[in-house]
């Protein structure tokens, strides 16, 4: 059997379009799934168009501007690559660190990591004014002092490693897979903490310039890795069994639940200290933190980041001796949603205070000519443009589709091979 | 804001072909990516020297041209008014050339089934019609029934035209809406006016007092350069202004005077200088008459007396007077420029002149200098006829020139007193937004039998004209030579930088063509604008080549100071006491008249300049509106709090005659007295074709429905209007 | 090797914006963007008031965060320590805009980041930057900070001055004379 066939089940591939075919007699859960997939397909296609528009028109179709240069696309990119690292790290517990429980999901996890990274790349690609130029100049005219350069380089290499790792895993080449896995773990940590540094090194933006950020990012990625895998385990069982967890998955499911609790707690502690230290600071970091606690971000912070993203999940996960697998899965899903909100807020909050304030350091009334957008009020506004919004939705849809598609067509298990 | 009009309804001009507009506005767009990878600026194909027309100062500019497009304007280092520098308006002059809203073709007002509208016309037709109508009016009512409003360099040609026709009624808003009272005040005192460029040696003065004169906002290039030089030399500034202007912020003393009480302060200064014997005795004895009368007159004008009127503490009045005296004769009370404030303006400038006399600064370094101007030969033309001039309804004994305001008045027929003016030629003058009492201006425009406007923009005046003749902008034309009196004699050339963008013509051509059609062509014997100036330069034994190349020829400097000044007054001396005024039945020594206070709930409306704009002529300029898109209404913090209004709120203004205007954004600030509000003149444009200016900010002119005439020369005091301020609601039209 | 810098004399500047407008023509700055701008800072209460007046632009920092932030070295240091953007190498990641503590950079409609260049193209021809040469109050002085004969050198010797946000540690080369 040739190389590709060791990876992909051609038969399944040719049946791929069945995913979108509605079978009258199919069980309700599957029919619902089909409907969902169809919807996602549409979203993904629309998103694809949006990406093309973005590539063609650049910042002309973005909600960002010279005073708020980074927007939802950056947030979404960070969101997806956080998944990549998280999936990679959590799953490595199995095929790298040899914890048997986790082995079954290794391959799928790495595959998902790859998907999220590729989608992440396409988003940052559409955010850049000239993505191809970056490929060119990052090589011809590198700037090792630039976190963005490291970001590109590390994630670039990381993708290569992931692909290799997946190939070895699919071909059950465990020796090589392990080596690739180790490298992968290192890259996962390096790439994502560096991404944290992209913000942490922005001295001009005190809310970001915080040594905790890289670790904070890492912790968050672990949360997402655990939640996503937990959901994966449950959902892939559920679709097969029509709603319930397979007995053989229970240990894994429970382990992931425990991990998630642990990671959430770590993120919780980090968040608390980030905010406390910020409140200790003067100036921007303080003001922005207050914007979280009592200002414009109040609702999304307390509701999404704290309650839905943290409190509620913890309650369910801890009390889950009694709570059903479905409830646990839902609870595990919440932090993922919260992670998106968190990144959105984080990116905007870092830039929301105009560097050309209407009230000067000594309380002067400042007047600027020509007038700048940001001078009217303390906080700069940002609303994503339609194009930006569509790209984000399309990206989410694409991830789900690719994952489902991959799960159906890649040779994850021996059975398929024989 | 709707304009009620009878016969001549207000027409908005469809400014030429849209495509043309686009093509030009494209000119303002940035160069495309396919350029140098590193910003290398623009390397011009040629650089053409000419002079600016964004205001009436006329600085020399160097225009860089790339691919037949003017890419930048810089100050001409050789020109004594620029010294290589420009004010923001001059630097943004390109915007006047490439404004897509420009007039692009002659227009004729026509009636299509009862509805009045514009019709684009050929020059031939437009000129023929204009000539025909002017001839008719002249034939019917005589040459005196023709009036010319003229402001700007090209006006010279239309003055010749009107005089050629036997007319004499030539007016400019720079007289009775601007500096007329100052010129009278100084002529009465020193025998000569201050002129434009003001003949004051600010750069070398050690102490200068500014009354209003908000230099730094008022951006007359050389004037600002001089103030800056003085500041750099450590001169002491005293700024008398109800508003903390920019120059106030540069001053050692800011006297936040109660508006309209300046004469009291000036008289108190005279009192201190005399009582404390700090005036230049020798100078006064030698060169002035009427000192004893003056001394008597100001005996009781103590700082304590002035304090009650002006709100300026007596000690501060004494201290500032001493500061001036200490630095005399290199000390100066700035004569001001836009002085038509309260009607008693000639008398106020007389008081201003008297204090200067006491400082003995006439002909002194750091005081008033003796200007000289380049003598340039005229073009040989037959002598112009002199019709006896028209008789205004209201007469002013000492007016040296007819008042624009009275021409308006004379154009309106009242029962048992028919209009004496029947047709207007308007050159470079946006009469409706320039003259006070707009309703009256519109009434005149309504009654006039013929109005022709020569302009570059669809300015409000053009909306009321019968024929609109579009002139080339200053960057597209030859013009009359410029040789104002200054520290050094000079003559400057305006020459085309690029060819006309549209079907527009230079003023000289328009006037010459009209003259030919009106049978007075003999007064325009020259071939064209170039011949007109070149011949005169050559007759003056000056090098045309040099002028073309450098844009200016500077003559040998002559002494600008003297210890033996002479005065062109009747007495040949400085007339502290003015017999001339006495003979005319007017106060021979400046009397202080307290201003009427605003009624409860009203603010006095004050206005001034934005450094980036010139009246209405720039408030549609793409380059300039980008920096200052609209005007704001200044109001003191306390007052805003009382009215529950906050910074940036849009408000409506309503004056004592219940004329409403706005909306305008509020600037809530500590920088102004509580009894007045302030805005920049020139905004609140009313012609829809002005895509950037229309409806932006508010028009002070709308609110100046009341004027107090200057009994000496007829100036229209405009700071006598009161307004209430209310929050604007989008429901208001 | 020269070390170019600029002073803004707050005593003389009247915030007239001539510099802003001249710069826009000189450097073809697109509508809606500006490489320099003016600031009025009002302090005090009537009648005890002060207004600081100045014109601001890129500080051409000696320790420029925008330079370190740029992944492609599009933002780099040119002769005389002038910080400029190479339009070709700029990929539009905006990291430099985020990194600059002074918000002096803008995204050019053509998709690259742009800013004040100290008019290097003029300086190379021995001219002053456009804003300096237009300034009617001569409030701006450009020159070599290391050349004792330069006016700017003497100004900094003799006059009180400050830079923007010294706490950022960027070592600006735009100085404000008190
Ligand atoms: N940028 C720019 N510069 C210009 C012009 C322009 O359009 N734009 N126009 C030019 C022309 S033609 C002229 S005439 C001049 C006009 O400029 P100026 O001669 O300076 O005119 P003013 O009316 O003296 O200046 C207005 C100032 O007077 C103050 N003021 C108002 N009422 C009183 C009062 O009762 N007493 C005192 N002491 N001060 C008062 C106002 O607060 C304001 O600060 O500007 C010239 N320069
Ligand atoms: N309310 C109020 N009224 C005022 C003043 C004020 O402060 N407030 N200021 C007063 C003073 S000081 C003065 S000097 C006057 C100034 O009064 P104006 O001289 O009327 O000033 P602008 O409003 O600039 O009008 C100039 C007109 O000339 C046109 N124009 C510009 N360039 C050219 C050109 O090259 N050729 C031709 N043919 N036309 C051209 C413009 O489009 C505009 O219509 O206003 C006076 N009136
Ligand atoms: S002062 Fe300014 S606008 Fe007036 S002529 Fe000079 S440069 Fe032009
Ligand atoms: S041109 Fe000169 S005076 Fe005017 S704002 Fe710029 S620096 Fe200040
Ligand atoms: S001011 Fe901003 S853009 Fe200019 S060098 Fe400093 S950091 Fe870079
Ligand atoms: S936007 Fe351009 S100049 Fe700025 S950091 Fe990115 S590549 Fe460099
Ligand atoms: S130096 Fe040149 S680029 Fe920089 S602000 Fe001045 S004119 Fe503009
Ligand atoms: Mo004027």
């Amino acid at each position: 059997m040739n190389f590709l066939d060791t990876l992909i089940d051609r038969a399944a591939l040719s049946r791929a379009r069945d995913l979108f075919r509605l079978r009258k007699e199919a069980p309700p859960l599957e029919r619902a799934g089909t409907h969902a997939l169809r919807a996602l397909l549409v979203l993904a296609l629309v998103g694809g168009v949006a990406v093309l528009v973005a590539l063609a028109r650049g910042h002309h179709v973005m909600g960002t501007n010279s005073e708020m240069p980074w927007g939802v696309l950056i947030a979404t990119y960070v969101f997806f690559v956080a998944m990549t690292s998280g999936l990679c790290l959590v799953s490595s517990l199995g095929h790298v660190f040899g914890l048997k429980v986790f082995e079954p999901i290794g391959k799928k996890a790495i595959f998902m990591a790859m998907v999220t990274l590729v989608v992440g790349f396409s988003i940052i690609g559409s955010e850049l004014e000239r993505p191809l130029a970056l490929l060119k100049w990052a090589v011809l005219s590198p700037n090792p002092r630039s976190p963005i350069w490291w970001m590109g380089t590390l994630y670039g290499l990381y993708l290569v490693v992931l692909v290799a790792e997946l190939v070895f895993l699919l071909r059950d080449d465990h020796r090589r897979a392990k080596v690739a896995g180790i490298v992968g773990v290192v890259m996962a940590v390096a790439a994502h903490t560096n991404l944290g540094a992209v913000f942490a090194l922005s001295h001009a933006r005190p809310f970001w310039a915080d040594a905790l950020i890289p670790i904070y990012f890492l912790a968050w990625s672990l949360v997402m890795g655990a939640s996503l895998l937990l959901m994966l385990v449950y959902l892939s069982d559920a679709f097969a069994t029509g709603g319930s967890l397979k007995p053989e998955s229970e240990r894994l499911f429970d382990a992931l639940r425990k991990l998630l609790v642990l990671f959430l707690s770590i993120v919780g502690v980090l968040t608390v200290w980030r905010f406390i230290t910020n409140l200790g600071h003067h100036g921007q970091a303080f003001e922005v933190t207050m914007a979280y606690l009592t200002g414009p971000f109040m609702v999304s912070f307390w509701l999404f980041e704290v309650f839905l993203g943290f409190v509620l999940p913890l309650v369910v996960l801890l009390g889950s001796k009694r709570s059903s697998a479905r409830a646990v899965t839902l609870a595990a899903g919440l932090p993922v949603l919260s992670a998106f909100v968190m990144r959105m807020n984080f990116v905007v909050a870092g830039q929301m205070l105009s560097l050309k304030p209407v009230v000067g350091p000594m309380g002067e009334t400042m007047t600027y000519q020509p007038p700048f957008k940001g001078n009217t009020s303390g906080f700069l506004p940002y609303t994503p443009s339609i194009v930006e919004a569509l790209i984000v939705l399309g990206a989410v849809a694409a991830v789900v589709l690719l994952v489902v598609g991959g799960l159906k067509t890649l040779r994850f298990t021996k059975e398929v091979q024989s | 804001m709707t304009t009620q009009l009878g016969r001549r309804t207000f027409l908005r001009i469809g400014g030429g072909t849209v495509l043309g507009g686009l093509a030009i506005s494209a000119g303002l767009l940035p160069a495309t990516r396919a350029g140098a990878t590193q910003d290398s600026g623009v390397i011009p194909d040629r650089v053409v020297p000419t002079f600016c027309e964004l205001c009436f100062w006329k600085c020399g500019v160097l225009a860089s041209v790339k691919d037949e497009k003017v890419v930048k304007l810089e100050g001409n280092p050789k020109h004594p008014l620029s010294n290589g520098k420009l004010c923001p308006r001059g630097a943004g002059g390109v915007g006047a050339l490439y404004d897509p809203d420009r007039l692009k073709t002659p227009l004729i007002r026509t009636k299509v089934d009862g509805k009045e509208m514009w019709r684009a016309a050929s020059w031939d037709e437009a000129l023929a019609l204009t000539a025909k109508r002017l001839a008719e009016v002249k034939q019917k009512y005589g040459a005196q029934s023709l009036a010319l409003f003229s402001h700007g360099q090209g006006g010279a040609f239309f003055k010749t035209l009107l005089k050629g026709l036997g007319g004499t009624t030539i007016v400019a808003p720079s007289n009775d809406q601007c500096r007329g009272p100052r010129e009278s005040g100084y002529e009465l005192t020193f025998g000569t006016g201050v002129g434009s460029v003001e003949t004051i040696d600010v750069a070398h003065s050690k102490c200068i007092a500014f009354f209003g004169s908000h230099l730094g906002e008022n951006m007359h290039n050389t004037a600002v350069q001089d103030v800056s030089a003085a500041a750099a030399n450590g001169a002491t500034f005293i700024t008398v202004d109800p508003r903390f202007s920019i120059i106030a912020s540069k001053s050692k003393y800011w006297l936040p005077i109660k508006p309209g009480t300046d004469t009291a302060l000036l008289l108190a200064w005279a009192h201190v200088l005399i009582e404390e014997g700090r005036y230049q005795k020798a100078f006064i004895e030698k060169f002035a008459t009427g000192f004893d009368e003056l001394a008597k007159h100001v005996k009781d004008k103590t700082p304590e007396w002035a304090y009650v009127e002006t709100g300026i503490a007596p000690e501060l009045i004494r201290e500032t007077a001493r500061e001036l005296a200490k630095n005399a004769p290199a000390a100066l009370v700035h004569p001001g420029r836009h002085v038509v404030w309260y009607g008693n303006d000639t008398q106020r400038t007389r008081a201003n002149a008297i204090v200067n006399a006491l400082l003995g600064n006439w002909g002194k370094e750091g005081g008033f200098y003796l200007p000289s101007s380049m003598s340039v030969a005229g073009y040989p033309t037959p002598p112009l006829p002199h019709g006896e001039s028209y008789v205004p309804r209201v007469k002013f004994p000492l007016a040296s020139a007819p008042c624009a305001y009275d021409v308006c008045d004379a154009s309106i027929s009242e029962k048992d007193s028919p209009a004496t003016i029947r047709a207007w030629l308007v050159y470079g003058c946006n009469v409706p937004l320039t003259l006070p009492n707009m309703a009256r201006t519109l009434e005149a425009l309504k009654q006039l039998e013929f109005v022709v406007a020569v302009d570059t923009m669809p300015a409000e005046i053009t909306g009321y004209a019968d024929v609109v003749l579009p002139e080339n902008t200053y960057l597209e034309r030859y013009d009359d030579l410029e040789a104002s009196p200054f520290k050094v004699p000079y003559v400057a050339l305006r020459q085309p930088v690029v060819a006309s963008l549209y079907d527009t013509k230079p003023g000289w051509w328009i006037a010459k063509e009209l003259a030919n059609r009106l049978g007075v062509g003999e007064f325009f014997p020259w071939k064209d604008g170039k011949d007109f100036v070149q011949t005169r330069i050559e007759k003056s034994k000056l090098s045309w080549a040099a002028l073309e190349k450098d844009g200016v020829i500077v003559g040998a400097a002559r002494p600008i100071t003297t210890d033996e000044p002479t005065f062109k007054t009747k007495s040949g001396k400085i007339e502290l006491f003015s017999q001339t005024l006495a003979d005319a039945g007017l106060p021979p020594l400046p009397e202080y008249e307290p201003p009427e206070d605003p009624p409860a709930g009203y603010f006095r409306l004050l206005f001034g300049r934005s450094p980036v704009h010139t009246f209405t002529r720039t408030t549609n300029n793409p380059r300039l509106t980008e920096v200052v898109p609209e005007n704001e209404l200044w109001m003191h913090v306390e007052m805003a709090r009382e009215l529950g209004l906050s910074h940036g709120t849009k408000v409506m203004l309503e004056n004592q005659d219940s004329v409403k205007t706005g909306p305008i954004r509020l600037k809530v600030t500590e920088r102004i007295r509580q009894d007045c509000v302030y805005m920049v003149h020139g905004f609140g444009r009313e012609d829809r074709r002005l895509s950037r200016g229309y409806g932006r900010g508010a028009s002070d002119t709308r609110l100046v429905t009341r004027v107090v005439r200057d009994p000496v020369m007829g100036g229209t005091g405009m700071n006598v209007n009161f307004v209430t301020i209310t929050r604007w609601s989008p429901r208001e039209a | 090797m020269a070390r170019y810098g600029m002073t803004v004399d707050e005593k003389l500047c009247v915030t007239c914006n001539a510099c802003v407008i001249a710069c826009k023509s000189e450097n073809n700055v697109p509508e809606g963007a500006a490489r320099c701008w003016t600031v009025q800072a009002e302090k005090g209460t009537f009648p005890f008031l002060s207004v600081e007046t100045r014109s601001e632009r890129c500080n051409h920092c000696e320790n420029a965060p925008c330079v370190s932030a740029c992944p492609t070295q599009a933002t780099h240091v040119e002769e005389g320590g002038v910080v400029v953007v190479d339009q070709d190498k700029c990929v539009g990641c905006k990291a430099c805009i985020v990194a600059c503590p002074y918000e002096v950079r803008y995204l050019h409609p053509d998709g690259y980041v742009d800013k004040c260049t100290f008019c290097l193209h003029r300086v190379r021809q021995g001219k002053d930057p456009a804003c300096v040469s237009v300034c009617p109050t001569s409030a701006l002085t450009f020159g070599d900070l290391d050349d004792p004969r330069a006016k700017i050198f003497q100004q900094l010797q003799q006059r009180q001055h400050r830079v923007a946000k010294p706490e950022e540690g960027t070592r600006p080369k735009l100085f404000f004379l008190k």
Side-chain angles (χ1 to χ4, degrees), chain A residues 35-113:
Chain A
H35 281 300
L37 288 179
R38 288 177 164 185
L40 290 172
L41 184 62
V42 176
L43 266 184
L45 294 175
V46 175
V49 176
V51 169
L52 295 180
V53 175
L55 289 174
R57 304 277 295 111
H59 64 284
H60 297 279
V61 293
M62 305 290 179
T64 50
N65 57 48
S66 298
E67 285 154 350
M68 175 72 65
W70 284 350
V72 67
L73 292 185
I74 295 286
T76 315
Y77 164 74
V78 176
F79 174 69
F80 281 122
V81 296
M83 291 184 178
T84 312
S85 300
L87 289 162
C88 197
L89 291 170
V90 176
S91 65
S92 67
L93 292 172
H95 60 270
V96 177
F97 300 103
L99 293 179
K100 287 273 169 290
V101 217
F102 295 99
E103 262 166 11
I105 42 158
K107 300 175 182 177
K108 293 174 180 174
I110 297 303
F111 169 66
M112 282 172 77

Side-chain angles (χ1 to χ4, degrees), chain B residues 404-609:
Chain B
Y405 193 75
D406 294 327
V407 164
C408 232
D409 176 71
S411 307
I412 300 170
S413 293
E414 281 153 14
K415 54 175 166 29
D416 64 61
S417 139
T420 51
I421 301 289
R422 298 293 180 156
W424 287 4
L425 284 87
V426 183
Y427 178 89
C429 196
N430 196 7
V431 187
L433 269 58
T434 291
L435 296 191
N437 198 345
M438 189 165 183
R440 208 160 132 292
T441 313
L442 300 190
E443 179 56 26
L445 282 162
K446 179 173 131 190
Q447 291 195 16
L448 284 160
E449 300 200 358
F450 183 68
V451 177
V452 54
V454 183
D455 208 302
T456 54
M457 293 295 297
E460 286 71 6
I461 179 61
T462 61
Y464 300 96
D466 296 281
V467 178
V468 177
L469 303 176
E471 188 180 22
N472 287 350
T473 63
Y474 72 107
L475 293 168
E476 302 162 300
R477 70 185 193 227
Y478 278 101
D479 215 324
D480 194 6
L481 293 165
E482 162 62 15
S484 301
F486 188 54
K487 288 181 176 177
V488 291
Y490 71 93
V491 57
L493 171 69
R494 174 172 288 154
Q495 57 186 333
V497 174
V498 287
S500 310
L501 298 178
Y502 306 107
D503 187 15
T504 58
K505 299 286 184 187
W508 63 260
W509 184 90
I510 299 170
K512 187 173 160 63
E513 287 297 314
L514 284 173
N516 292 337
R517 286 174 165 76
L518 284 157
V520 292
E522 73 263 32
F523 301 113
F524 295 80
W526 29 271
K527 194 166 111 283
D528 54 24
K530 184 177 182 186
D531 173 37
F532 176 64
V533 287
Q534 181 170 2
T535 310
R536 290 165 59 201
I537 288 298
E538 281 158 358
K539 282 182 85 241
S540 316
K541 304 271 172 296
L542 296 165
S543 157
W544 171 252
L547 187 59
E548 259 188 327
K549 187 174 132 299
D550 296 340
V552 64
I553 296 174
V554 180
R558 296 168 214 164
I560 62 169
T561 62
T562 174
D563 293 334
E564 294 300 325
T566 55
F567 303 94
K568 298 196 196 66
T569 51
K570 282 210 189 69
S571 62
K573 294 186 161 228
I574 302 170
E575 298 186 346
L576 303 172
F577 176 96
S578 171
Q579 194 53 50
T580 319
L581 282 170
D583 297 345
L586 293 161
L589 283 160
E591 298 289 353
Y592 166 71
E593 304 157 27
E596 178 193 349
D597 287 333
Y602 279 81
F603 298 84
R604 185 181 299 275
L605 175 68
L606 304 180
F607 43 79
R609 307 286 174 250

Side-chain angles (χ1 to χ4, degrees), chain C residues 66 69-72 74-75 85 89-97 105 113:
Chain C
C66 58
C70 179
T72 64
T75 291
V85 181
K89 289 186 182 172
C90 177
V91 304
C93 69
K94 301 165 225 95
C96 53
I97 302 184
R105 296 175 158 252
V113 164

